Amino acid sequence: MSVAQPANPVTTPPEVPATMRAWTVTDPAPVLAADGSSPAPVPPLELREVPVPTPGPGELLIHVHTCGVCRTDLHVVEGDLAVHRPHVTPGHEVVGRVVACGPGTAGPGAADPGTTRIGRRVGVAWLRGTCGHCRWCTTGRENLCPESTYTGWDADGGYAEYTTVPAAYAYELPEVDDTALAPLLCAGIIGYHALLKAELPAGGRLGLYGFGGSAHLCAQLALAQGARVHVLTRDRAARELALELGAASAAGAYDMPPEPLDSAILFAPVGDIVKPAMRALDRGGVLSIAGIHLSDTPPLNYEDELFYEKQIRSVTSNTRDQGREFLELAARHRVRATTHEYPMSRALNALEDLQAGRFDGAAVLVNDL
């Protein structure tokens, strides 16, 4: 990918210390008390002093500048996703600079040298590794690789001073500030994949169910491409943001949109919404489900919710090509995240606010550790 680089992209990296501060999951559990009004009595996330990781073969060591707060992080911390790495450091929307390179990051067959220069600003996203030789990897569907691994789930992520990433999975970044870039690296990329899976026709009618970090980026791209966007979400501030961004309508999560939909995307992890979303689809419409976790869905009525060739599709991660495509489109169409900054030292508070729905757009942690 050829993208504009920020002014003075190569800087003198900081001296790498022996230890760093990083947030680690203790025992996965809810971040809020049972009534949802206060923090949990025993937080499932703890800030600890740990060794700075050493980049392995083909890996880069990244000094973290910012890290977006994704709902998937919440699923990891609260135990909605099975534990893959005990005491993992969450975070997979990382913007930072390369401060060290492991063996094999240069020379023939290595990753794009644009991401392996000391001082180069790069992005770290959710997809961290694939086998490269299975039938999915060899047919452009590496997101379905059975051996795929993920940042902040299988390996420590960006809620820390430093993190590592395989050089082949690091992204070159467009000329956007660190805070605005972070949510693009998962919320933006996954929203783009969900939009592709929804098969929205040119000038089509798109419904977005839920309007957090991913949906508000997806909406901007769809609007730039000529769609009519209808937003359905419980949150009043999110509905106001949707209208400010250009949505044709904004209503409650279980309401019917003002016109039948050609395509819809479910971003909220609420299975109950599948029924009204399917009812809202026009004939031949497609619902794509963008989350990695979804509560159980109720039974569907065939005649009212599935007949006339309506389809439901799930979305699994993304390919690196899709990530690069989205970053180019985001730069071209000036897709920008509505962000709320938190110091990295308050990562737990950011997750609590995400769970409680206390902000619109996306939260971003700024490294103050």
Side-chain angles (χ1 to χ4, degrees):
M1 177 180 68
S2 177
V3 296
Q5 291 295 324
N8 303 314
V10 178
T11 60
T12 302
E15 183 177 348
V16 180
T19 63
M20 67 176 185
R21 300 180 79 196
W23 288 94
T24 63
V25 178
T26 50
D27 293 308
V31 297
L32 296 178
D35 63 1
S37 64
S38 59
V42 180
L45 202 64
E46 183 177 279
L47 188 59
R48 294 177 174 173
E49 189 81 12
V50 299
V52 170
T54 300
E59 291 186 345
L60 309 173
L61 178 65
I62 308 299
H63 181 234
V64 176
H65 292 181
T66 59
C67 184
V69 178
C70 180
R71 186 162 291 275
T72 301
D73 301 334
L74 195 60
H75 294 320
V76 169
V77 170
E78 295 197 319
D80 296 322
L81 297 179
V83 174
H84 279 195
R85 177 182 175 88
H87 307 300
V88 71
T89 294
H92 56 273
E93 297 178 335
V94 181
V95 177
R97 291 197 186 273
V98 179
V99 294
C101 298
T105 54
D112 185 337
T115 63
T116 59
R117 299 177 193 167
I118 299 297
R120 176 70 70 180
R121 189 176 68 147
V122 299
V124 181
W126 175 237
L127 185 66
R128 179 185 175 86
T130 55
C131 73
H133 54 74
C134 69
R135 66 188 181 98
W136 289 279
C137 285
T138 56
T139 55
R141 299 176 292 168
E142 66 180 3
N143 59 304
L144 299 179
C145 175
E147 297 181 30
S148 56
T149 58
Y150 301 94
T151 310
W153 193 20
D154 296 290
D156 290 332
Y159 286 26
E161 291 182 78
Y162 295 87
T163 192
T164 60
V165 62
Y169 291 81
Y171 287 94
E172 288 192 74
L173 297 176
E175 190 173 350
V176 181
D177 68 83
D178 294 345
T179 297
L181 269 173
L184 302 186
L185 290 163
C186 179
I189 293 171
I190 293 299
Y192 175 60
H193 187 186
L195 186 61
L196 294 176
K197 295 295 287 185
E199 292 190 356
L200 180 67
R205 302 156 296 177
L206 174 67
L208 301 179
Y209 289 82
F211 204 69
S214 190
H216 90 292
L217 295 169
C218 179
Q220 292 175 60
L221 183 56
L223 287 164
Q225 294 176 334
R228 283 176 58 81
V229 175
H230 300 284
V231 170
L232 301 109
T233 181
R234 66 180 182 178
D235 187 78
R236 179 173 305 211
R239 292 197 295 267
E240 292 174 356
L241 175 60
L243 295 173
E244 290 173 8
L245 291 174
S249 73
Y254 294 89
D255 293 338
M256 284 292 110
E259 58 182 339
L261 304 173
D262 297 302
S263 305
I265 304 174
L266 176 56
F267 288 99
V270 183
D272 284 347
I273 298 177
V274 170
K275 282 179 72 74
M278 292 302 292
R279 286 177 177 265
L281 288 176
D282 208 346
R283 299 180 181 212
V286 177
L287 170 67
S288 68
I289 300 175
I292 192 173
H293 170 77
L294 185 73
S295 62
D296 289 343
T297 60
L300 298 178
N301 179 276
Y302 180 71
E303 184 175 353
D304 293 337
E305 292 144 7
L306 286 172
F307 197 47
Y308 296 118
E309 300 188 358
K310 296 180 183 181
Q311 299 181 54
I312 302 175
R313 296 175 176 174
S314 65
V315 174
T316 301
S317 185
N318 61 275
T319 67
R320 283 170 286 174
D321 283 345
Q322 289 170 341
R324 289 186 282 266
E325 288 168 10
F326 171 73
L327 289 173
E328 289 181 345
L329 288 169
R332 184 188 312 163
H333 295 298
R334 301 184 183 276
V335 173
R336 293 294 295 251
T338 296
T339 57
H340 305 271
E341 291 188 0
Y342 289 74
M344 185 79 74
S345 57
R346 290 185 53 216
L348 181 58
N349 300 124
L351 287 171
E352 291 166 353
D353 289 349
L354 173 62
Q355 181 63 284
R358 295 184 183 125
F359 55 78
D360 56 9
V364 177
L365 305 177
V366 179
N367 195 350
D368 67 330
L369 300 179

